[in-house]
């Protein structure tokens, strides 16, 4: 064991976000940067002596190097056993699954999720705690505090572990086990969805395209869809994880998963399309000719989850993040189950799941999950969809249209204004907060404001209050505009504007999203003066 002095401190000038520390690869490549952060994490893990730790990443550039550093530091910090995914790969949901299954004290997950990879891309490090979910703020606060005072780190000097070969080796007295990245996760999936039914669906000629965007889900999707469920070879596209994601931006939305969209909207669309993000926790669902918004997907899964064995007894409740459309609430009301609205970010769901208050949860940003782990889970959502389709024996687009006919359609779009100056973004939010009290009963873009507030959340389990989570403007015409600043960007500020309008009339369910939401967009601009504040007349991305 060696003690090494740290040359510069403090090395972090701001608190890591809710999804850990995300920065450019070049930032992480600075001498001792990774070591300082990892030591700050380990110093904050109470009871690490003799405990089990899970380690893995999404395979992006720098993954292998950092995995080796984490293993050697974990050994020098007293962990008794380390489980590391083969080739250093673990999807975020698989890491969550391993932490829970093997009663680990936590896991170090190397990922910047859906952010681009490669030498000029992003890298990230996050710590998940023993329930398998992201660390709570008390923990990340402690880590940040530690980064301000840390003066040395512990590392076991040894040659690199062979990550490609399964089995146990030792680093000092610590046992390092290279585990199959997929096996435990696949086993868990088999307890939740009916593999035989889905296999029969594929055997009957059902065809799908799963686009792994050259990120971590490839091996999982290939092993489960093509291996266990008998989908034809080639069902999984871009199934080889690559350090630069093969040039893909591994964010599963209609903009970045354009090849899949083109196929699904074209004349030769298979029966079902899906994609996942860099670390495998997000999902995108596309029916032939029809993109399914994540908000609708959550609502549809809520309506039909009982058709899968893992949810046959029904759901305790459903939770959605505040900016997610209210479609799931309508299903919950009909089923007579509880519905929760939480701030953005997965950690708020964890408390509800732990307390048994909800079974499913989801976000508009393509995250859907259930109580099987404490992370969102991309491939799980795809498998649950397949199970539902196998039971309903109806085309996916028909399932979506029938859902709208029953519950009404929530037209939905998110407008992102990326890399705007932080001061300008803050000014826009301050302007909105100041204007809020005077907005009710005023009309903008033909819509009349009914109410507005700055979303604050009281956790029903521990009573903690989380204020200022975004400005919600509710219109009398059953429309909504939400404004918030991203907490995960790595340069400047990102303003997210969420637009939504409810349409109960089935004869109006085939409007284009742009037409259906034009008045909400106009009202949002009039109220927030986005163009003036950001200097942008159009969003960088619409999803
Ligand atoms: C984004 C998404 C949010 C998600 C988070 C982590 O956060 O909007 O739903 O939980 O990434 O994947 P944001 O950048 O909006 O703060
Ligand atoms: Zn992700």
């Amino acid at each position: 064991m060696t003690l090494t002095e740290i040359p510069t401190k403090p090395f972090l000038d701001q608190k890591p976000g809710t999804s850990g520390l995300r920065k450019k690869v070049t930032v992480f490549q600075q001498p001792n940067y990774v070591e300082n952060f990892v030591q700050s994490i380990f110093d904050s893990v109470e009871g690490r002596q003799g405990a089990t730790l899970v380690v893995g990443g999404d395979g992006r550039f720098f993954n292998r190097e950092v995995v080796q550093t984490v293993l050697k530091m974990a050994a020098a910090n007293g962990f008794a056993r380390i489980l590391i995914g083969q080739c250093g790969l673990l999807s975020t949901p698989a890491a969550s699954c391993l932490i829970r299954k093997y009663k680990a004290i936590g896991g170090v997950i190397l990922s910047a999720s859906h952010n681009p990879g490669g030498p000029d891309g992003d890298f990230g490090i996050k710590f998940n705690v023993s329930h398998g979910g992201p660390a709570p703020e008390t923990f990340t606060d402690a880590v940040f505090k530690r980064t301000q005072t840390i003066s040395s780190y512990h590392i076991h000097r040894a040659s690199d572990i062979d990550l490609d070969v399964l089995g146990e080796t030792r680093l000092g007295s610590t046992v390092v086990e290279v585990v199959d990245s997929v096996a435990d996760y696949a086993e868990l999936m088999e307890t939740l969805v009916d593999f035989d039914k889905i296999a029969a669906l594929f055997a009957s000629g059902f065809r799908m395209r799963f686009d792994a965007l050259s990120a971590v889900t490839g091996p999982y999707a290939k092993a489960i869809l093509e291996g266990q469920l008998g989908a034809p070879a080639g069902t999984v596209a871009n199934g080889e994880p690559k350090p630069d994601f093969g040039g893909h931006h591994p964010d599963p939305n209609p903009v970045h998963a354009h090849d899949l969209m083109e196929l699904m909207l074209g004349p030769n669309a298979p029966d079902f399309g899906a994609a996942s993000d860099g670390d495998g926790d997000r999902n995108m669902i596309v029916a032939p000719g029809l993109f399914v918004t994540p908000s609708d997907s959550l609502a549809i899964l809520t309506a039909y989850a009982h058709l899968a064995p893992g949810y046959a007894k029904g759901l305790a409740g459903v939770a959605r993040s505040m900016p997610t459309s209210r479609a799931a609430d309508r299903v919950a009301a009909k089923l007579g189950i509880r519905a929760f609205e939480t701030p953005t970010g997965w950690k708020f769901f964890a408390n509800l799941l732990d307390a048994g208050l909800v079974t499913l949860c989801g976000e508009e940003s393509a995250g859907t999950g259930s109580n099987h782990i404490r992370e969102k889970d991309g491939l799980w959502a795809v498998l649950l969809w397949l199970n539902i389709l196998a039971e309903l024996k109806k085309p996916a687009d028909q399932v979506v249209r029938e859902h709208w006919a029953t519950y009404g359609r929530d037209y939905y779009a998110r407008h992102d204004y990326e890399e705007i100056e932080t001061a300008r973004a803050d000014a826009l939010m301050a302007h909105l907060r100041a204007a809020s009290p005077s907005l009710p009963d005023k009309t903008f873009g033909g819509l009349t404001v009914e109410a507005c507030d700055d979303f604050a959340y009281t956790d029903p389990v521990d009573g903690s209050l989380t204020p200022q989570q975004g400005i919600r403007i509710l219109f009398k015409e059953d429309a909504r505009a939400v404004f918030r600043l991203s907490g995960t960007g790595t340069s400047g500020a990102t303003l997210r504007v969420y637009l939504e309008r409810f349409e109960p009339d089935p004869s109006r369910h085939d409007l284009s999203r742009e037409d259906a939401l034009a008045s909400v967009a106009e009202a949002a601009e009039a109220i927030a003066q986005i163009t003036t504040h950001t200097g942008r007349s159009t969003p960088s991305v619409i999803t």
Side-chain angles (χ1 to χ4, degrees):
M1 186 190 297
T2 325
L3 284 178
T4 311
E5 285 305 311
I6 290 169
T8 39
K9 63 178 184 177
F11 73 102
L12 277 192
D13 50 8
Q14 111 207 56
K15 250 176 74 170
T18 49
S19 341
L21 185 64
R22 274 187 210 168
K23 300 270 179 201
K24 294 273 166 220
V25 165
T26 45
V27 172
F28 277 99
Q29 284 171 325
Q30 297 174 88
N32 292 334
Y33 191 92
V34 165
E35 288 84 346
N36 290 357
F37 189 63
V38 171
Q39 186 63 50
S40 299
I41 291 176
F42 289 163
D43 283 344
S44 311
V45 181
E46 271 171 43
R48 66 180 179 279
Q49 300 297 329
T52 298
L53 180 74
V54 170
V55 181
D58 64 13
R60 66 179 60 227
F61 186 84
F62 210 36
N63 190 66
R64 276 188 177 254
E65 291 85 338
V66 178
V67 160
Q68 296 289 351
T69 306
V70 173
L71 294 178
K72 291 171 193 172
M73 289 186 65
N77 275 278
F79 291 95
R81 190 175 181 82
I82 308 171
L83 304 177
I84 164 82
Q86 193 174 19
C87 305
L89 295 177
L90 279 180
S91 73
T92 290
S96 187
C97 160
L98 288 179
I99 294 170
R100 293 167 70 81
K101 180 165 181 179
Y102 296 104
K103 304 203 169 9
I105 197 164
V108 177
I109 303 175
L110 309 176
S111 170
S113 188
H114 50 285
N115 293 10
D120 301 319
D122 289 344
F123 192 78
I125 302 181
K126 74 169 173 172
F127 189 76
N128 278 28
V129 292
S130 58
H131 67 35
E137 211 143 315
T138 44
F139 183 88
T140 46
D141 282 350
V143 173
F144 178 59
K145 229 166 147 186
R146 187 70 191 131
T147 64
Q148 306 300 294
T149 56
I150 185 170
S151 61
S152 63
Y153 61 82
H154 308 288
I155 188 158
H156 186 87
R157 297 285 177 207
S159 47
D160 283 357
I161 295 275
D162 185 346
L163 298 174
D164 300 338
V165 183
L166 294 178
E168 287 186 8
T169 39
R170 269 175 190 274
L171 272 176
S173 54
T174 303
V175 176
V176 178
E177 185 181 358
V178 179
V179 299
D180 184 317
S181 308
V182 180
D184 292 291
Y185 175 81
E187 209 178 290
L188 177 60
M189 292 302 110
E190 231 175 320
T191 67
L192 300 171
V193 298
D194 193 330
F195 274 32
D196 291 340
K197 283 256 162 64
I198 303 175
L201 181 70
F202 282 122
S204 74
F206 181 93
R207 292 295 168 260
M208 81 172 282
R209 165 78 60 91
F210 182 98
D211 195 337
L213 297 169
S214 309
V216 80
T217 351
Y220 295 85
K222 274 202 223 166
I224 296 175
L225 296 174
E226 296 181 10
Q228 289 179 265
L229 299 172
T235 295
V236 179
N238 299 307
E240 216 57 61
K242 297 195 176 137
D244 64 349
F245 300 130
H248 293 106
H249 184 155
D251 193 355
N253 62 44
V255 179
H256 297 305
H258 38 78
D259 290 354
L260 179 67
M261 280 305 284
E262 211 177 293
L263 176 74
M264 294 307 296
L265 301 186
N268 299 317
D271 301 299
F272 192 59
S276 196
D277 75 329
D279 63 331
D281 56 356
R282 295 186 177 198
N283 74 89
M284 167 171 148
I285 301 293
V286 204
L290 183 68
F291 167 68
V292 186
T293 68
S295 298
D296 277 347
S297 177
L298 175 65
I300 292 167
L301 294 181
T302 304
Y304 294 116
H306 64 276
L307 298 178
Y311 309 95
K313 293 199 181 99
L315 308 177
V318 61
R320 62 166 174 88
S321 67
M322 181 273 281
T324 303
S325 96
R326 295 158 296 168
D329 303 14
R330 303 179 207 290
V331 179
K334 186 154 183 201
L335 293 176
I337 60 172
R338 298 184 71 176
F340 294 86
E341 183 177 33
T342 65
T344 296
W346 207 256
K347 65 180 179 184
F348 297 96
F349 295 142
N351 269 1
L352 300 173
L353 291 165
D354 277 346
L357 292 174
V358 300
T359 312
L360 296 194
C361 37
E363 296 189 285
E364 52 67 40
S365 55
T368 332
S370 91
N371 59 354
H372 65 292
I373 52 170
R374 292 297 179 271
E375 284 280 4
K376 47 194 177 236
D377 190 344
L379 191 50
W380 162 86
V382 174
L383 291 168
L384 186 53
W385 260 96
L386 289 170
N387 195 152
I388 290 167
L389 293 175
E391 286 289 348
L392 294 179
K393 300 188 171 59
K394 288 177 186 171
D397 48 332
Q398 189 184 335
V399 170
V400 178
R401 285 179 200 288
E402 287 182 3
H403 184 88
W404 293 338
T406 307
Y407 294 95
R409 177 172 182 184
D410 290 271
Y411 283 102
Y412 191 86
R414 183 175 102 181
H415 292 189
D416 290 339
Y417 299 79
E418 293 171 345
E419 296 191 34
I420 51 184
E421 270 171 53
T422 309
R424 296 183 89 161
D426 290 343
L428 182 145
M429 293 303 286
H431 157 80
L432 266 176
R433 288 198 170 94
S436 286
S438 67
L439 295 178
D441 294 325
K442 286 196 181 143
T443 299
F444 303 90
L447 302 177
T448 307
V449 176
E450 179 166 1
C452 50
D453 68 356
D454 192 347
F455 180 60
Y457 178 69
T458 305
D459 191 300
V461 182
D462 62 22
S464 61
L465 178 74
T466 310
Q468 298 207 317
Q469 292 301 299
I471 308 285
R472 298 189 287 191
I473 300 176
L474 206 65
F475 299 97
K476 291 187 174 155
E477 294 75 10
D478 224 337
R480 192 174 77 147
V482 171
F483 299 83
R484 60 178 284 280
L485 299 183
S486 156
T488 60
T490 51
S491 47
T494 295
L495 169 70
R496 302 204 197 282
V497 183
Y498 309 83
L499 308 172
E500 177 183 351
R501 189 170 74 73
F502 179 61
E503 178 55 73
D505 178 0
S507 75
R508 296 178 54 79
H509 284 171
D510 272 318
L511 305 180
S512 77
R513 216 160 55 135
E514 291 68 29
D515 289 346
L517 294 169
S519 54
V520 196
E522 204 185 311
E525 170 61 33
I527 293 170
Q529 291 159 26
I530 305 166
T531 309
T532 315
H533 276 104
T534 63
R536 310 270 178 83
S537 53
T538 48
S540 336
V541 194
I542 299 181
T543 52

